[in-house]
Each structure stands twice: as structure tokens, then as C-alpha cells.
Amino acid sequence: MTVEKLSLSEFKGAMLAIADGMIASKDLLTQADQAIGDGDHGIGMARGFEAVKAMLSEKNFAQIEEVFFSTGTSLLSSIGGASGAIFGSFFMGAAKGVKGCIELDAPGFKNALAAGLEMVKKRGGANIGDKTMVDALEPAVQAAMAYNGNSLGELSLQVYIAAEAGMQRTKTFTARIGKAKTLGERTLGFADPGSISITLIFKFFSDYLKQMA
Amino acid sequence: MIKKVINNPKDVVVETADGLILAYHGDVKKIENSNAIKRTEIRPGKVCLLVGGGSGHEPLFAGFVGENLADGAVSGNVFAAPAPDQILAATKALDQGKGVLYLYGNYAGDNMNFDIAAELAESEGIATKTVRIYDDVASAPLERITDRRGIAGDLFVIKIAGGAAAKLDSLEEVYRVAAKARDLTRSMGVALAPGSIPETGQPTFTIGEGEIEIGMGLHGEAGVSREKMMPADELVSRMTDLILKDLPFKSGDEVCLLINNLGATTMMELLIVNRKVRALLAEKQITVHDTLIGSYCTSQEMAGFSISLLKLDGELKQYYDLPAKSFAFTKG
């Protein structure tokens, strides 16, 4: 059995599970960022998803897009830095893909992912190979588009697997954008911390659906 | 855990701002709903200058708010750009109907967050323009100058832009002068030992006992080379050479000189550096109009320093020479 779609309250539960997972990943992300950045990525993401958690517990939602959008604005205003702008833009962009939906199904999730990617690329200007979260997000979106089934559970697993593979590939890239870009070849062998974060977000979403099934 | 005189690490940014505002003795006040400050008295109808960036580099940026300097400053978390809603709140608090010039170091996070804020400000009818500072010659070759980072040269650009914003009537004109100051500023740093982020308590990079990194950035970003420790004169010669040939600075030029402490380097060492820089400039017949030596743009307890030069022309000199008053930079 896999889950076909999520109701509004189930989707809110999924976002809460993602937030808990990201908060628990603080040390892992900090260590990844210390290797090739300034070491604040874990702190920022944990702070951001603490804000998301607080927002989810306070707000009531009428539509799926509101959950995405409020998650985005919470991240944007609480993380700051490049991570806040990029992860905030991803969720705010994703909201545009599910306008008017009161449930999240596979086609809706595909649209949300595509709209999220578009917003991230517009804001950050990163392309595949620049060693950023786009290296995990773009193949994840491509995998979503290639999925023809009706199961949100299966789709989310495909998305996570593709993101994970993209994240692993960033170990073979030298950074061309962001603070790590001046580290050049020293970044070889390390995964981009932002690509780890987006992969974890998809992992926690997929895990939530798996545990529901 | 590296020792720091702090309370809860999560409170450092707010507590720093509280202490700074008190140190200003009423010349600045906090902006509501933002970790930002503004001058208590701003002349109505003035073009305003908003500076900002991540915290952790004190006294940059908020230490440079005052007469003929910045009108306001917005601070993010340690080493992280302020969020758009914070920047927007500061923009609205400053605007006197003539628009706001954003001035900040060229980093992906700052660029995106200030750009989002600029879009939000535009939708609320406030005009903004942006000058990103990229003075660090170590961070990218000259052909890719807009990829370079902003470091201590920020101070020169803030000084000139602050003067221009006090005297000139249009945002366009203030922007033009600020951009010119940015284009005529070059810097180069060296790191001897890392700083640390309060929340992690861990150094931002590792470096061997007897090693230094020439050109290392304010957040531990890689520079041009890692070397064995060397005498001050040799180190200063290498750094100054890279700065001079970049603009390039030429015989007959008049410059302002800034020797900036990254955090843990002593005044004694900075003065030894100054002695050699002046000798090298004199050799090239470059005259020094003004010298600043001290902690202006730091990276926590990072040991090291940077050298910055601003090439003056008649217009820039006029704005540079205006008196200025702020927490961290005062000029008679």
C-alpha cells in the first residue's frame, strides 16, 4: 500500500515531520558546512525549521499553498543569509504550483516541485554543476516529471532517491557560487551542504508517507 | 568550545545591538521589528544610506552610523545576511521620500536578501539603488571583479557614500559617487589563526601551527596561498604588490590607507605593517592622504589583518574630508 494523496491536515503533519527532522539534523549539517563553508548551515536550518514549527502550531490553513507559502516566509525571515533566501524561495515558489488545492496529490506535488525549482533558479542564478542545492533539486524535479503513476508515496521516494544521487555528485564538483566558490578545488570530495538539506527535506517527506502507508 | 565572553549564544546578536545603541548615547535608535538601527535625527528630504550584513564583524556595519556616514544599519545573524523583512523594515524607517541606497559586501546571501528587500520596497513605492562592495583582490581575478568579496574596504565606501548622501540631492548621484569609491578601492588580507562562531564554539577553518593564508576571506574563505609564517616586511611586500598592480595604483596617486585588524592581531603588529606599507608606497611615489589603523572589520577572534587603499580624486577627496561621527569612526 502506498499513499495516493494527503489531506490538508496530513500535509501539515508532513511539514511538521520535515521540520522535526531538519532540527535533528543540525549537527550533521554543521559538520558538512565546516568542511567547505563557514559552518553555520546547520544552525541556520535548525533556526529556520524551529520557526516553521512555531508557525505551524499557531496557524490554520485553508489550502495546501498556504502551508508551502508560510513555510517559505518563515524560513526566509528566520534563517537569513543565502540559505534563507534559497530555501525560502523554494517553498514560496512551490506554493504557486498548487494554487487552489485542498489536497496534495502526485500531479500537485510535481507542479509544486517545478515551481519551486523555477523560483530558486531565478533568485540564486545557480545551474547544475555549480555545487549548490540545485544539483540535488533539479534531478529530483526531473525524476518527478518522469514518474507516471498516481502514488504520492512512490513519487516522493523517487524524488528523494534522485536528490540523494544529485547530492552525492556534488562531491565531484568544485564550488562556483556562494562563499565556498573561492575554496575551488578544496571543495572536492565534500557534498554541498545545501544539497544535503534539500535531500533531507525530501527524505523526511518520503519517510512520513512511508510510515502512513 | 572556544572561550568567549557571552551569555546564551543565541542572544549574541541582540545583546550586541543593545550594547552598541547604549554606546551611541542617543545618536542612534533601534528600528522596530528589525535588528537594525537608525540615526535619531535624519534631515527630512535626504537621500538615505542603509548598510548591512551578517553580524560578527563588529564594529562593521552598525558602528558606522552617524553624521556624514550611514543613516542606518541592519544586521543579520553571525556571518549570515539579514533577512528581507528586516531590511525592508529598515528601508521604510529611513526613507525620507528621496530613496535609499543599499551598500553592502558582495556575498550571495547579502545579494539575494537585499534584492528581495529592494523588490518589496519598490512595491511599497520606495526607490532603492544598490552598490555591492567587492574590494578583495584575493577573491577573484580582475576579469571577474564582480565575483570578488567585500572586506575592510567597506569603510572607505561607506565614508564616501555617507558624505555624498549628506550633500547630494538625488539617489542617482549618490549611487554614482558610491560606485566610484567602490571601483577605486582595493584590499588584501592575511589570516594567521581562525575565528569562531559563538553558536558552534568551533573555529571556522583549520590552519597549521606555523602557517598563514594570504588573501583569506572574512569567513575563512580560501585566499591565494597557504605559506609558512614569514617576517612582516616580506608578508606586507607580497600583499601590497598584489593590491598595487590590481587597480593599478600609479606614481603620483593619492590614497587613503586602512590597516585593519581582523580581531586578534595587536596594534604593535599593525604599526609594524604600516611602517612597511608606507615605505613601499613612498618607493612608488604614491602619497597617503589619511591613515586608519585599528579594528574596523573583524571576523571574531581571527588573527590577521588586511590592507586597503582608496585612490582619491578631487570629488572623492571632498567627501572623504567631511567630518564624521559614529561609534567606530570619527573624523574632525
Side-chain angles (χ1 to χ4, degrees):
Chain A
M1 269 301 286
T2 65
V3 176
E4 269 200 25
K5 59 190 174 189
L6 292 178
S7 68
L8 188 56
S9 68
E10 287 166 343
F11 180 58
K12 189 172 160 179
M15 199 60 91
L16 205 54
I18 290 171
D20 283 332
M22 293 308 287
I23 293 163
S25 306
K26 179 175 168 179
D27 290 346
L28 181 156
L29 292 170
T30 295
Q31 282 155 21
D33 196 31
Q34 275 166 348
I36 58 169
D38 54 16
D40 65 358
H41 187 64
I43 300 165
M45 293 306 276
R47 183 173 59 236
F49 280 97
E50 290 280 7
V52 169
K53 220 177 144 174
M55 177 278 297
L56 289 172
S57 72
E58 278 168 20
K59 270 195 179 169
N60 289 310
F61 303 97
Q63 294 183 332
I64 296 288
E65 67 177 281
E66 294 170 13
V67 180
F68 273 120
F69 193 80
S70 295
T71 298
T73 54
S74 294
L75 294 175
L76 185 69
S77 60
S78 62
I79 303 178
S83 301
I86 288 299
F87 284 88
S89 294
F90 172 68
F91 284 99
M92 288 159 75
K96 293 185 181 181
V98 286
K99 279 210 176 299
C101 298
I102 51 162
E103 301 174 321
L104 185 68
D105 57 10
F109 187 46
K110 286 183 182 185
N111 289 339
L113 289 172
L117 173 66
E118 191 188 330
M119 188 69 115
V120 164
K121 294 187 87 164
K122 174 177 168 256
R123 183 57 65 196
N127 288 305
I128 288 283
D130 288 339
K131 199 174 180 110
T132 71
M133 63 86 87
V134 170
D135 288 314
L137 178 57
E138 190 159 314
V141 175
Q142 285 163 353
M145 294 309 153
Y147 176 76
N148 289 320
N150 292 319
S151 158
L152 185 61
E154 277 175 20
L155 170 60
S156 70
L157 183 62
Q158 296 305 316
V159 164
Y160 160 51
I161 290 169
E164 165 86 24
M167 179 270 282
Q168 294 292 347
R169 277 194 296 277
T170 67
K171 293 179 182 173
T172 66
F173 301 150
T174 53
R176 289 204 288 258
I177 206 163
K179 273 186 196 147
K181 78 181 168 201
T182 49
L183 284 168
E185 302 210 328
R186 262 193 243 169
T187 62
L188 276 173
F190 297 99
D192 169 66
S195 76
I196 299 175
S197 276
I198 191 72
T199 301
L200 286 173
I201 287 168
F202 292 144
K203 176 186 188 295
F204 297 134
F205 186 56
S206 172
D207 287 352
Y208 179 85
L209 288 161
K210 208 181 290 173
Q211 147 267 298
M212 269 182 71
Chain B
M1 258 336 228
I2 288 166
K3 285 182 278 188
K4 274 188 199 285
V5 185
I6 57 173
N7 298 304
N8 186 336
K10 288 188 180 192
D11 296 334
V12 292
V13 171
V14 170
E15 292 183 357
T16 301
D18 289 348
L20 183 73
I21 290 167
L22 291 167
Y24 265 106
H25 283 277
D27 288 347
V28 304
K29 60 183 181 186
K30 187 176 162 48
I31 295 172
E32 289 302 313
N33 304 317
S34 181
N35 188 45
I37 59 168
K38 61 178 278 195
R39 292 171 65 197
T40 309
E41 285 173 31
I42 297 178
R43 174 170 55 81
K46 177 186 188 299
V47 174
C48 283
L49 177 62
L50 177 64
V51 297
S55 292
H57 303 299
E58 292 71 21
L60 188 78
F61 286 87
F64 304 125
V65 174
E67 185 195 357
N68 294 330
L69 290 167
D71 296 293
V74 54
S75 304
N77 285 297
V78 176
F79 295 175
D85 52 342
Q86 306 260 317
I87 301 168
L88 180 66
T91 306
K92 286 158 81 170
L94 288 186
D95 184 47
Q96 304 290 317
K98 285 285 179 66
V100 178
L101 181 71
Y102 291 164
L103 193 59
Y104 55 87
N106 186 39
Y107 295 90
D110 293 281
N111 298 349
M112 287 187 274
N113 284 284
F114 274 94
D115 280 354
I116 295 171
E119 289 162 18
L120 297 171
E122 190 188 1
S123 70
E124 300 204 20
I126 301 174
T128 67
K129 287 199 69 94
T130 295
V131 173
R132 294 172 179 167
I133 302 165
Y134 35 76
D135 56 313
D136 183 1
V137 302
S139 49
L142 190 58
E143 315 80 87
R144 291 193 286 115
I145 191 167
T146 57
D147 282 352
R148 287 179 174 176
R149 305 180 288 250
I151 55 172
D154 287 359
L155 175 58
F156 284 145
V157 187
I158 294 169
K159 176 70 184 79
I160 301 279
K167 299 291 173 194
L168 297 171
D169 234 13
S170 83
L171 181 59
E172 279 296 330
E173 274 293 283
V174 177
Y175 165 81
R176 180 187 63 76
V177 175
K180 180 159 87 170
R182 183 268 317 277
D183 292 342
L184 293 175
T185 301
R186 294 292 187 278
S187 302
M188 180 78 155
V190 63
L192 282 60
S196 66
I197 297 180
E199 256 191 82
T200 62
Q202 299 301 316
T204 52
F205 60 91
T206 54
I207 189 161
E209 258 307 298
E211 278 186 327
I212 59 173
E213 181 151 335
I214 296 178
M216 180 172 263
L218 281 178
H219 315 87
E221 304 98 321
V224 289
S225 61
R226 232 170 230 223
E227 318 238 349
K228 291 271 165 266
M229 190 62 211
M230 61 184 81
D233 284 3
E234 187 185 338
L235 176 59
V236 170
S237 298
R238 300 255 315 256
M239 292 165 69
T240 307
D241 183 52
L242 290 166
I243 295 172
L244 291 179
K245 70 183 188 201
D246 193 82
L247 190 64
F249 293 87
K250 298 187 299 282
S251 169
D253 282 352
E254 189 175 18
V255 300
C256 293
L257 167 64
L258 164 61
I259 296 170
N260 174 62
N261 176 16
L262 287 171
T265 294
T266 62
M267 181 56 85
M268 184 185 82
E269 292 162 282
L270 301 176
L271 291 169
I272 292 169
V273 168
N274 184 46
R275 166 192 152 277
K276 183 62 180 177
V277 174
R278 289 298 297 269
L280 293 165
L281 294 177
E283 237 173 63
K284 300 248 178 209
Q285 279 132 8
I286 295 168
T287 54
V288 178
H289 176 66
D290 193 28
T291 302
L292 304 173
I293 303 179
S295 301
Y296 294 98
C297 171
T298 63
S299 183
Q300 296 292 290
E301 67 275 43
M302 189 193 286
F305 64 91
S306 60
I307 302 168
S308 301
L309 291 180
L310 161 69
K311 178 178 164 169
L312 293 172
D313 66 6
E315 183 180 41
L316 296 189
K317 194 171 176 176
Q318 167 203 335
Y319 295 121
Y320 186 86
D321 285 342
L322 289 174
K325 184 171 173 240
S326 69
F327 168 71
F329 179 74
T330 293
K331 187 174 159 53

